[in-house]
Amino acid sequence: MALTSNMSEIFTSFQEYLKHDQEIREEIRSQVREIEQLAREIITGLQAVHQPVGLKNISTICQTARNSLKGIEKYYAGLESKIPDGQYYRFHDHWKFVSQRLVFICALIVYLETESLITKDETAAMLGVKSNKEDGFHIDLDDFLMGLLLVASELSRLAVNSVTAGDYTRPVRIGSFVGDLDSGFRLLNLKNDALRKRFDGLKYDIKKIEEVIYDLSIRGLLRNHHDDEASTAATPAEAADTDQKDTKS
């Protein structure tokens, strides 16, 4: 049965709309693939911190990652140019996962450099995008929070590998940081969605870190390490006084 002229025009317009929409999505996917490739390369470089040699060269590893991250701005600019005005969230699913990984990269770099938590504004600056949706193409808050949770998992792994490298105090500092991160997330009223489920997994990261710290404690490695630091910190006068007492005895 043939379509009437009026109905044919209606469905033809639908087809044109769907075709245009598909073209936009394909252009977005192409741009996102380039961002994903750069993100993978940076993450691969950052994995060096899990090696004993890498732990001694954290500043170099982080600087290399920062230099590579500078290239992400042009890719995000290209992505923004392909998104119709006011339709950020319509196409958001295409780049949300890579944005979460990039937040993870930025947060991990800042933690390794300063052992502090990155802010959303700092993340936006590192990626060359806006911090708030009112200003244009931005990092979505859920993506930012998801990226922070990814860092917790990475740090739980670093806690284990730092012990292998002979760095016994790092797990304690990591435990303190991840504990504070957990406390911060508990202030949020998270919905029962992917972010909530990922946050629920944070307790396993904390448990893993706590097990590392407990093992160090019962083996006396933390106490011995602190004693060595105290001995190293003794002033020349104190050291000389100790030597004299040892000689007299």
Side-chain angles (χ1 to χ4, degrees), residues 46 57-70 109 113:
L46 285 171
N57 296 285
I58 284 179
S59 60
T60 301
I61 292 172
C62 288
Q63 187 57 53
T64 299
R66 279 185 176 274
N67 291 339
S68 298
L69 201 57
K70 293 177 181 178
I109 291 173
E113 291 175 337

Side-chain angles (χ1 to χ4, degrees), residues 31-43:
Q31 193 71 21
V32 169
R33 282 193 290 269
E34 293 183 353
I35 298 175
E36 288 173 338
Q37 178 59 36
L38 182 55
R40 283 193 294 269
E41 292 173 0
I42 297 173
I43 290 175

Side-chain angles (χ1 to χ4, degrees), residues 197-239:
K197 292 178 181 178
R198 185 63 192 81
F199 168 63
D200 289 340
L202 181 59
K203 61 186 176 185
Y204 299 108
D205 297 324
I206 293 175
K207 181 180 179 181
K208 184 176 180 180
I209 297 168
E210 289 176 342
E211 288 174 348
V212 172
I213 297 172
Y214 175 74
D215 188 57
L216 288 171
S217 179
I218 62 174
R219 291 172 183 272
L221 294 174
L222 289 179
R223 182 178 64 253
N224 292 341
H225 188 79
H226 288 313
D227 290 344
D228 290 342
E229 287 182 336
S231 175
T232 303
T235 64
E238 290 172 337

Side-chain angles (χ1 to χ4, degrees), residues 49-53 55-56 158-171 173 212 216 221-222 224-226 228-229:
V49 300
H50 293 288
Q51 303 299 322
V53 175
L55 279 172
K56 298 177 181 178
L158 184 60
V160 175
N161 291 326
S162 61
V163 173
T164 304
D167 188 345
Y168 302 134
T169 60
R170 188 177 295 274
R173 302 198 303 274
V212 172
L216 288 171
L221 294 174
L222 289 179
N224 292 341
H225 188 79
H226 288 313
D228 290 342
E229 287 182 336

